[in-house]
Amino acid sequence: MTRQQLIKSIYDILENSLELQTLSSFNEDARLNEDLYMDSIMVLQLILHVELDLGISIPDEILVPKDFKTVGTLASFLEKQQKVEIGGGK
Amino acid sequence: MIKVHCFVSCVCEVIKKTKGVDHRPYYFGVWDADFDVLDNGVLKYHSDRIDHHFFQTWYEMLYGIKLYKWYDEEQSKQENINKLQRLLENKSPHQHVMVMLDLSMLPERENKFHQRPFPHYVMLESTENEAEWFMYDPDFRWEGILPKERILVAIQEPAVGGGYYFDSETIIAPTTETVKAYFNTCIKLHCNPMTEAITEIIKGYIVGKEKESMSKLPTALKQLPVLAIRKYAYEHAFAFFWEALGHDEKGFETWCDEIERLVNGYTTIQYRAMKLAMTQDLLLAEDIFVKLEEQNLLEFKIKQGLQACFQAWLILQHKKEVML
């Protein structure tokens, strides 16, 4: 998935699965905690949906808060994970 | 310094502002501080069965400051609020008034856990404006003026109740003997109560009496992040001993990394538990128990490391006493 597709997917999960009420503040620089009012559990729910719905495998031993600071850092993390997966499949 | 426990943070604030008195030993009581597991296997950082008697007693023993409980559960909320108002009106500059309120009722505050209700201790002071109070929240490093009515609404919430006051004029530095006694009381070298409790909760939802409600496991562990950060208290203890022993910074950083790994490990457990609940794939349960065992071993290692620091510190203190 491209970065833009990943961001769109994050938006869709937040809207449909988490039913987040603060999506009017959604943009690439939006901070998950301070701007979208997501707590750490909601962030984990989001990651879990990314893993199960989009099929991007997430190594749960390295769920580091800094990767989930903003929508953009989360997208970067997922881009990296996709590359790891492709690399691993070669 | 990292804040890990609202009650402890409130009473520590005055110690931190007093030169020559170290607040870090007080955190010994935090890493395995009380929590509760309800009958339906729900982990709670606060409940009716938890009081702060332990911290109250040791605050006085370590620092010579008596904590008075002004909140009386036998009395009505309004009577308690009247008492709070009287305390604030007659407060001397050395007096500090703590109250428990529901932080989720003050949404302009950054509430990173988004708990609702969110029982939380803060300190209050009156201002020149009768309609406003100064609220002081050392745990989240926040202070500011808020409308008195709004604070009262947060105190009035039925889920919360509690309050203390204390006078900091009599503050003393803790003696070696008290620090020793407190450390020995707090260090549980052969059990990690929180990891044990989480293990039992998860077993309960997989094979025990809650197994029909496995999808509710994430709710049962919802407050885990609030409890996990208590493990940062180990950092305060390592820092206290490390500094006294004159050890190098690098060794301290290594312990901080281990503590960080311990705190993050609970996130992994939480994530796996959520995944188990969503997929109902029992194979995931194995991974959770493996991680729990890792957490157990890691925390024992941290405790052993701290115990070794404590022993070295004791020897140093005795040497100092002999030299005097």
Side-chain angles (χ1 to χ4, degrees):
Chain A
M1 289 171 95
T2 64
R3 186 177 177 84
Q4 280 318 307
Q5 285 170 327
L6 284 168
I7 289 173
K8 170 78 172 61
S9 299
I10 293 169
Y11 185 93
D12 291 344
I13 292 170
L14 292 178
E15 185 178 37
N16 303 321
S17 303
L18 271 69
E19 294 174 9
L20 199 70
Q21 302 295 312
T22 49
L23 278 171
S24 55
S25 308
F26 187 92
N27 66 71
E28 198 165 331
D29 296 325
R31 295 167 300 175
L32 301 184
N33 182 221
E34 295 89 338
D35 301 324
L36 298 178
Y37 288 89
M38 295 174 70
D39 65 11
S40 58
I41 304 282
M42 291 157 84
V43 174
L44 291 186
Q45 281 174 332
L46 168 62
I47 308 294
L48 191 53
H49 277 285
V50 167
E51 181 165 14
L52 298 177
D53 303 351
L54 307 183
I56 300 173
S57 115
I58 310 284
D60 58 16
E61 289 276 5
I62 53 154
L63 292 171
V64 182
K66 74 173 172 53
D67 289 328
F68 313 124
K69 183 82 186 148
T70 66
V71 171
T73 56
L74 173 59
S76 305
F77 171 78
L78 297 177
E79 276 184 306
K80 203 171 74 191
Q81 280 314 117
Q82 287 189 136
K83 281 181 193 152
V84 171
E85 276 178 51
I86 294 163
K90 274 180 186 171
Chain B
M1 278 302 196
I2 298 153
K3 302 290 178 21
V4 292
H5 191 294
C6 63
F7 180 94
V8 171
S9 295
C10 278
V11 299
C12 267
E13 196 59 17
V14 64
I15 305 170
K16 288 168 73 178
K17 285 179 179 159
T18 309
K19 221 178 159 192
V21 185
D22 203 316
H23 69 284
R24 292 172 298 187
Y26 196 52
Y27 279 80
F28 297 166
V30 176
W31 53 68
D32 280 331
D34 286 347
F35 56 86
D36 199 5
V37 180
L38 303 184
D39 293 339
N40 57 349
V42 174
L43 186 68
K44 302 284 277 185
Y45 77 92
H46 174 75
S47 83
D48 293 343
R49 289 187 281 203
I50 296 174
D51 63 29
H52 294 96
H53 188 69
F54 177 84
F55 284 117
Q56 197 179 348
T57 309
W58 280 101
Y59 193 57
E60 188 176 355
M61 291 213 272
L62 285 160
Y63 301 105
I65 301 175
K66 193 160 175 55
L67 266 170
Y68 296 95
K69 190 175 180 200
W70 59 261
Y71 195 95
D72 182 355
E73 285 84 2
E74 301 296 313
Q75 291 190 323
S76 71
K77 199 69 135 183
Q78 194 51 51
E79 281 168 321
N80 275 302
I81 285 173
N82 293 344
K83 209 186 286 180
L84 171 68
Q85 308 225 42
R86 283 198 300 275
L87 272 171
L88 291 175
E89 279 159 21
N90 302 314
K91 192 177 98 49
S92 74
H94 287 287
Q95 235 170 39
H96 307 269
V97 179
M98 287 163 63
V99 64
M100 190 197 284
L101 46 70
D102 179 356
L103 199 64
S104 68
M105 300 300 288
L106 300 169
E108 70 273 51
R109 293 285 325 284
E110 196 178 296
N111 171 358
K112 70 178 198 175
F113 295 112
H114 290 258
Q115 298 283 340
R116 186 174 284 265
F118 191 165
H120 188 65
Y121 271 108
V122 297
M123 288 193 274
L124 295 176
E125 279 179 33
S126 48
T127 66
E128 282 174 8
N129 183 343
E130 270 211 11
E132 291 175 336
W133 273 340
F134 183 78
M135 193 169 111
Y136 201 75
D137 180 358
D139 206 39
F140 287 126
R141 297 178 206 187
W142 187 91
E143 59 183 55
I145 289 168
L146 287 173
K148 187 170 150 182
E149 280 311 311
R150 304 245 0 260
I151 297 176
L152 286 173
V153 167
I155 296 170
Q156 265 156 347
E157 274 300 292
V160 300
Y164 295 86
Y165 72 90
F166 58 96
D167 196 318
S168 59
E169 227 173 3
T170 57
I171 192 165
I172 52 157
T175 63
T176 301
E177 283 312 305
T178 344
V179 172
K180 180 183 166 186
Y182 188 47
F183 184 87
N184 283 328
T185 305
C186 296
I187 191 85
K188 294 173 182 166
L189 292 170
H190 304 290
C191 75
N192 296 314
M194 196 172 95
T195 301
E196 280 177 16
I198 298 166
T199 308
E200 288 311 307
I201 290 170
I202 293 175
K203 277 183 188 164
Y205 277 85
I206 295 172
V207 288
K209 68 185 181 78
E210 304 298 329
K211 67 177 180 187
E212 302 304 324
S213 330
M214 205 202 285
S215 60
K216 290 185 183 156
L217 180 58
T219 311
L221 297 178
K222 195 167 183 277
Q223 294 193 352
L224 187 50
V226 187
L227 288 164
I229 56 167
R230 291 181 177 179
K231 301 300 177 190
Y232 283 121
Y234 289 120
E235 273 190 25
H236 293 271
F238 271 109
F240 174 72
F241 294 130
W242 221 255
E243 198 177 287
L245 292 165
H247 286 344
D248 70 296
E249 188 74 13
K250 207 177 156 210
F252 173 67
E253 293 298 331
T254 307
W255 281 117
C256 289
D257 291 344
E258 295 289 65
I259 295 159
E260 186 79 31
R261 205 153 66 83
L262 180 70
V263 175
N264 289 338
Y266 292 114
T267 308
T268 305
I269 288 164
Q270 192 142 31
Y271 187 77
R272 289 182 187 175
M274 288 163 71
K275 203 166 169 180
L276 169 68
M278 201 187 269
T279 61
Q280 306 273 315
D281 177 1
L282 283 172
L283 285 173
L284 288 165
E286 286 304 310
D287 292 342
I288 299 177
F289 291 121
V290 167
K291 187 69 193 170
L292 279 163
E293 189 49 27
E294 274 176 35
Q295 290 287 97
N296 226 357
L297 295 175
L298 178 57
E299 191 161 7
F300 281 136
K301 182 180 155 190
I302 292 167
K303 284 179 173 175
Q304 288 293 346
L306 197 55
Q307 177 74 14
C309 285
F310 169 65
Q311 297 294 356
W313 177 82
L314 268 187
I315 292 167
L316 182 75
Q317 299 308 307
H318 290 149
K319 271 187 196 160
K320 278 185 188 168
E321 279 167 22
V322 171
M323 282 168 75
L324 282 171

